[in-house]
Amino acid sequence: MGASCKDQKKALAICLQRSPCVLIQRNTPKECLTNPELKKELPELCVAYFRDFMECKNGMFDMRKRMRGNAPISTGKYDETYDNLSSGNFDAHEEMKKLEVLNRNLSKQRQLQEEAERARLQGR
């Protein structure tokens, strides 16, 4: 069960490597997560990935999930991207553009959910 958070961990690592905190300001990913000033500037997507990773880690100790398992087995979806970012085999501008697109999509998705919730509450 220890590897069940592998995908969440790699997604968080990729997001942090693409963030301005690491690419532009040259902080370590750990500093970006632990320093409150730097954490405020992280993209929404990275914060969401961090929350997912922490929920997964906390789920390892959740007795309700003990028999079923915490999460699906790792798919290896992020392995190639993670390896490229870890080895320095990437274009920083391209990676920042990818992060901006993903972050914009997350913002749009949240707006749609909020509008649907408001419509549902008004319909009552």
Side-chain angles (χ1 to χ4, degrees), residues 7-119:
D7 283 341
Q8 289 90 341
K9 183 178 181 179
K10 285 192 177 182
L12 173 62
I14 290 167
C15 188
L16 287 172
Q17 288 290 348
R18 290 176 174 167
S19 72
C21 182
V22 174
L23 281 179
I24 296 173
Q25 298 170 4
R26 303 309 245 170
N27 296 304
T28 65
K30 184 177 181 178
E31 289 172 344
C32 293
L33 287 175
T34 56
N35 186 335
E37 296 298 320
L38 296 175
K39 194 171 183 179
K40 288 179 189 174
E41 299 173 10
L42 283 178
E44 272 184 72
L45 186 65
C46 294
V47 174
Y49 281 146
F50 180 67
R51 193 176 313 116
D52 287 345
F53 176 64
M54 293 311 294
E55 285 176 9
C56 183
K57 291 299 252 183
N58 289 335
M60 290 181 165
F61 300 106
D62 189 355
M63 295 308 276
R64 293 172 290 174
K65 296 180 181 179
R66 185 171 171 207
M67 299 307 277
R68 288 183 295 143
N70 184 32
I73 295 175
S74 175
T75 60
K77 177 180 175 182
Y78 302 106
D79 288 347
E80 184 179 341
T81 307
Y82 180 77
D83 291 339
N84 287 340
L85 286 170
S86 297
S87 66
N89 185 18
F90 65 93
D91 177 25
H93 295 290
E94 188 67 31
E95 294 301 323
M96 286 199 56
K97 286 178 187 176
K98 288 178 186 177
L99 179 62
E100 288 173 10
V101 168
L102 291 170
N103 203 32
R104 207 174 9 216
N105 289 342
L106 179 66
S107 296
K108 286 179 186 178
Q109 185 180 21
R110 286 196 174 153
Q111 284 177 341
L112 290 173
Q113 288 175 346
E114 289 172 3
E115 289 173 8
E117 183 66 23
R118 274 191 235 119

